[in-house]
Amino acid sequence: FAPLFSPPPPSRAPACAAVFALASLTDFLDGWLARRWRITSPFGAFLDPVADKLMVCVATVLLSAAHSGRALDVALPTAVTLAREIGVSALREWMAERGERGAVRVGLLGKCKTAAQMV
């Protein structure tokens, strides 16, 4: 979706939204199928949330840049969201190094938050 977004003429907005929606859907399906078919891996469990964060962060930054004249209502929430995502990632990495990854594993609420960000 990022190449479609730049430069962002209004006529490309539906295409950008469709590509992002398709990427979100395939992300959901890939995780669901992996769990259903019991073909999960530690690497996949690590990489999936990272890919989710990258997708959401890129989309958020692109949207923020497209509305650059509206710093308080677009850029500030973007900065807060990205700071939170980086903080959570750092916390998970730290807990994993301590052998306590299960204490900060992704739960249903986190999955709902990611879905809400993607919508």
Side-chain angles (χ1 to χ4, degrees), residues 30-76:
D30 123 289
W32 183 77
L33 289 172
R35 287 185 298 278
R36 182 176 170 96
W37 294 343
R38 293 185 176 97
I39 53 172
T40 60
S41 70
F43 182 68
F46 164 76
L47 196 58
D48 186 64
V50 173
D52 292 349
K53 286 180 186 351
L54 286 173
M55 190 169 84
V56 169
C57 288
V58 167
T60 307
V61 168
L62 288 172
L63 288 170
S64 181
H67 297 36
S68 60
R70 299 170 52 194
L72 290 179
D73 62 345
V74 177
L76 185 59

